[in-house]
Amino acid sequence: MIRIRGPVVSISICTLIFTLTLIGHAAEDAAPSLPPPSSETVSYLKDVKPILQRSCVQCHNAKLQMGDLLLTSREAVLKGGAKGAVVKPGDSENSRLIHLVAGTDPELAMPLSGTRLTPEEVGVLRAWIDQGLVWDDDSAQEEWMPQLAPRRPELPAASDTAIVNPIDRLLQPYYEEHGVDSGAAVDDRLLIRRMYLDVVGLLPPPDETRAFIASDAPDKVEALAGQLLDRNEAYADHWLAFWNDLLRNEYRGTGFIDDGRRQITHWLRQSLVENKPYDHMVSELIDPVTGSEGFIKGIVWRGAVNASQTPEMQAAQNISQSFLGINLKCASCHDSFINHWKLKDSYGMAAIFSEKPLEIVRCDSPTGRMAEVKFLYSELGSIDANAPVKDRRRQLAELLVSKENGRFSRTIVNRLWDRFFGHGLVEPIDDMDARPWSPDALDWLASDLADHDYDLKRTIKWIVTSRAYRRPAVDRSSDRQYVFTGPLVRRMSAEQFVDSIAEISGIEPPPPDFFFQRDGRGQGGQAPESFTHKMVRYSSGRLASGTATVEADVSNAAWIQLAGTDNLDGRLPAKAAWIDATLSGPAGTLPLTALNYTRATTADGAAPAIKPGRIETHTRSTIAYPIPPGYDRFTATVSLDQTPVVDGRTRFEAQFYVFAGDPGIRASLLPIDPLQKALSRPSREQVATRRDSLATTLQALELSNGDTLFDAIENGARNLMREHPDSNQTLVDNLFWSALSRAPEDFETGVANELMKSESPREGVEDLLWIVTMLPEFQLVY
C-alpha cells in the first residue's frame, strides 16, 4: 500500500490554508445584502407558517416572549417588541425582522440557535410583508407548549392487518398528510447490515447474511432483532461509545493526571451488559454507587476557572442536558438568550451539589445573592436545602426519574430515535422544548418505556422492527422543512469503522500501551476496569541481575504485549535487558521475532532493538505481537546483560500481557487514537450528544496517509493471505461478503486479481483491502 508522503501533503495543506484565507478575506470584504423578495404570491399557511414555526416561535411565544416580541398573530407582529416595530407592511426592505433573519448584522442574526434561514426563505418573508402581511383569519400561529406530564396516546386503527408495530400505526396519519409512500422498504441485504451496525456495531457474518436473504420466515426481522439484543457483550461494547459521549466518560486526557477526573467504565459497561433499567442507571449516576462517582465529579480543572465550570455547575449542566434535553450552559453565566431558563435556575440545580451556600455569579462577577436549592421543575417536588449533599442527591434522583416526569423518558427516547434514524423526533435533540414532528410517536414510546421498567432494549426493539426503520435511507434534504421519509444515510462511527476493519481482515485491534503505564510525557490516565477481563498478566519478578523464565498459556489469545519497568526512573542502560521469547504448540515452535510486531514504543519514541530471537526491553518500552493459530504456549527468558549500577536497590521487571481473542477488544474500550479522532470521536471534555457525520480534510489525510490505518491494513492483508493461501478468488469473495454483504461483481473480481498478480502479492492485497474500505458502500450505513 503506497501512502502520500512529505512534500505532497505539505503543499496540499499550504494550498488549502491559502485558499481558505482568501475565501475568508473575500467574505469579510463582501457587504451583506438582502435576498430579493419572492416573485410568487405568498400563502401564509403554506409558505410562511412553516418558517415561523420552525425558526421563530420557539422563542417568541406567549411563554418566553423573548425581547417582548410575539410572532403568534398578525396583531402581535404589527405591535413589535421592546425595540419597537419589526415589520412595515408593504416595505420589507426597511423591516427590521428581515434584516435580523437575513443576518445583515452578524452580531444580531436570528435565530440565535439552530439553522439560519436560507436566502429563499428570507425572500418568502419579504414577499409576505410586501404583499401586506396577509394572515388568514382562522389560522392564528399555533404555539407548541411542551408538557411535563407523561401522555399515552391511543393507537389509531391499522389500515392494513400486517401493520402491527405501534410506531407504524402512529405514523400512518403522518404519511397520509405528507404524501409519503408507507410501503417502501430496503432489501434484506441492506436491512441486516443496517441492523447489525446499529444494534451491536459490527458487520453481519457472510453466512448469516446469506441465510437471512434466503429465509422466507414472516418473523425473521423480529427474530434477528431479538438475537442481536441478546448478544449482551457485543451490545454493551457498541453502546458504550454512545454513553461515553453522553456521560463524558473517557480513559485518558484532561484531569486524570492528578485525580481530577474518574472514569465510570466498569460500572457503565456492566450496566449495559445487564440491561439495567434506565431509571436505575440514572439514579446511580446522580446518587453514586461504587464505580459511578466520576459522572457527578466531572472534571476538576487545574488552575482558576470560570464560575460556570465549577464541579457543581458541571453537574447541573450535564444532568440537565443528558437526561432532560435542556441546555443550561448559557444560563450558567446569565439569563439564557436561547431559552427560558434563568441564571437562578442553573444555580438552584448546582446548589444541590454544593457543600456550602452557593453565591450566584453573573458573568464571573459575584452578585451577593445566594442560590436557592431547587430542581428545575419545582412542580415535581422540592429538595431539602438543609439536608446533607448525599441526601440532596438522592432526592434529586427521585424527582428526576419520577413517573410523573415525562420529560425524562421523552429525552432518552428522542436520543435513541436519533441514533437509529439520524434525526430526532425533536430537533435540536438538546432542546426538548421544541415541537416534535410526531408528538404521538414520542409520547407513546416514552410512556411505554416508563410502563415497562425503563427497559431500553424493549424500546430499541420497537424501533428496529418497525416498518419506519426498514424504509430506504435518504440523503440529508436541502428542504428546510423536515419531512420523515426514512432513516438518513449515516457514516460509520469511528468505533464501527475500526471494528469493521478488524472484522473483515481477521485482526484484533492491538492492546494499547497506555493501559499499563504512564507515557514519557507525563500524560496519565486509567485503564478501563472492564478491559481487564480480556487480559492476563505475567511477570518476571523484580531482577537485580541474572535471568528469569516466564511461561504463559496463550491457547485463547489474540495478542501478547511485552513491557518493561524499573525503579531507576528510566535510567537503565540501553541494551541492558533482553527477552528471548518463543511460541510453541501443534504448529511447532516459533521465535516471537519471526512475527511482525505492532505498536512498539520506547521512552524516546524509537522502536526497541531486535536481534534474531531477542527483543530489547527497558523502562517504558512496549511491543505487541499477534499470536497466530496453532500455538498455545509462550515461553520467555528475561536476561540482564549488564548489572545496573546506581545503588544497591536497583531492580528491573519484565511484564507480559496476554489478551483474549474472543470476543476481542472493541474500539469503544480503547483510548482515542489519530484515526478515531479524525473520524469525529470526541475528547469528551464536554457532553457530546451527536457526532458530525460530514467528511473533512483531516479525515481524508488520515485515511490516505495515517499510520493507524496503514498498520491495520498491513496486518489485515497479511492475515487474509495466511487464511487463504491457495485461492485468490476465495479471498476476494470472502472480503466482499464480509465488508459489503454481497458477492463481488465480475469487474471487481478482475480488478482484484490484477492487483494480486503484482510483483508483491501482499501489497496487492493491501491495496485491495484499502480500496474496499474506502468505498462509500462500506463506510456508509444505508
Side-chain angles (χ1 to χ4, degrees), residues 687-740:
V687 170
T689 54
R690 179 184 284 162
R691 299 186 186 181
D692 191 353
S693 188
L694 299 176
T696 66
T697 303
L698 175 61
Q699 290 172 8
L701 291 173
E702 187 65 32
L703 290 173
S704 62
N705 200 50
D707 287 336
T708 310
L709 180 60
F710 180 82
D711 290 343
I713 293 291
E714 190 175 49
N715 287 322
R718 186 180 299 112
N719 194 62
L720 287 173
M721 293 185 71
R722 185 165 53 241
E723 291 181 351
H724 308 283
D726 303 321
S727 173
N728 286 349
Q729 188 60 52
T730 304
L731 186 155
V732 174
D733 287 346
N734 188 72
L735 175 59
F736 271 74
W737 273 106
S738 298
L740 307 177

Side-chain angles (χ1 to χ4, degrees), residues 634-710:
F634 168 78
T635 305
T637 300
V638 183
S639 305
L640 283 179
D641 288 0
Q642 302 177 38
T643 300
V645 180
V646 175
D647 57 41
R649 296 172 296 153
T650 300
R651 297 291 185 272
F652 173 79
E653 180 181 11
Q655 300 168 3
F656 306 90
Y657 299 90
V658 177
F659 290 84
D662 185 18
I665 303 165
R666 296 285 293 275
S668 62
L669 283 163
L670 300 176
I672 192 169
D673 57 29
L675 176 60
Q676 293 193 62
K677 183 177 181 180
L679 294 176
S680 301
R681 174 168 160 175
S683 66
R684 296 166 178 153
E685 293 179 5
Q686 302 292 332
V687 170
T689 54
R690 179 184 284 162
R691 299 186 186 181
D692 191 353
S693 188
L694 299 176
T696 66
T697 303
L698 175 61
Q699 290 172 8
L701 291 173
E702 187 65 32
L703 290 173
S704 62
N705 200 50
D707 287 336
T708 310
L709 180 60
F710 180 82

Side-chain angles (χ1 to χ4, degrees), residues 33-42 47-48 51 88 90-95 98-99 101-102 118-132:
S33 59
L34 290 178
S38 171
S39 59
E40 304 291 329
T41 300
V42 171
D47 303 313
V48 177
I51 298 173
K88 294 183 177 181
D91 186 7
S92 65
E93 185 174 2
N94 292 306
S95 292
I98 297 299
H99 287 270
V101 297
T118 64
E120 292 75 17
E121 290 171 329
V122 176
V124 167
L125 295 184
R126 287 200 62 182
W128 178 52
I129 294 172
D130 289 341
Q131 294 167 18

Side-chain angles (χ1 to χ4, degrees), residues 393-524:
R393 289 197 307 248
R394 177 181 50 77
Q395 293 170 23
L396 172 62
E398 291 172 353
L399 293 177
L400 186 64
V401 305
S402 163
K403 289 289 182 68
E404 286 71 42
N405 183 7
R407 172 64 71 91
F408 175 67
S409 52
R410 288 185 183 104
T411 300
I412 187 58
V413 162
N414 193 53
R415 296 202 188 285
L416 292 177
W417 188 278
D418 173 68
R419 187 76 170 183
F420 287 102
F421 290 94
H423 190 283
L425 288 161
V426 177
E427 286 288 339
I429 55 174
D430 287 327
D431 181 10
M432 287 298 292
D433 284 332
R435 183 189 183 97
W437 59 262
S438 178
D440 285 351
L442 176 67
D443 285 352
W444 191 93
L445 286 170
S447 61
D448 183 76
L449 175 68
D451 290 345
H452 292 86
D453 298 323
Y454 292 92
D455 181 352
L456 294 178
K457 283 188 176 182
R458 176 185 170 88
T459 303
I460 290 173
K461 191 169 185 178
W462 279 131
I463 291 173
V464 299
T465 57
S466 69
R467 290 188 173 191
Y469 179 74
R470 296 181 228 177
R471 297 184 62 82
V474 296
D475 292 327
R476 295 181 184 273
S477 174
S478 58
D479 186 353
R480 307 303 284 274
Q481 187 66 25
Y482 175 77
V483 174
F484 173 76
T485 58
L488 296 182
V489 176
R490 292 160 287 139
R491 295 190 65 187
M492 284 182 175
S493 69
E495 293 86 349
Q496 286 173 326
F497 184 81
V498 171
D499 287 340
S500 296
I501 295 286
E503 266 194 289
I504 65 176
S505 62
I507 291 292
E508 302 283 349
D513 310 326
F514 168 78
F515 284 158
F516 315 114
Q517 58 193 343
R518 295 180 185 274
D519 64 33
R521 296 176 298 281
Q523 185 176 17

Side-chain angles (χ1 to χ4, degrees), residues 233-256:
E233 297 276 343
Y235 167 87
D237 286 343
H238 170 55
W239 284 89
L240 186 64
F242 168 83
W243 290 104
N244 279 345
D245 289 359
L246 189 66
L247 303 177
R248 299 204 308 179
N249 182 51
E250 190 52 284
Y251 312 134
R252 70 181 302 171
T254 303
F256 281 117

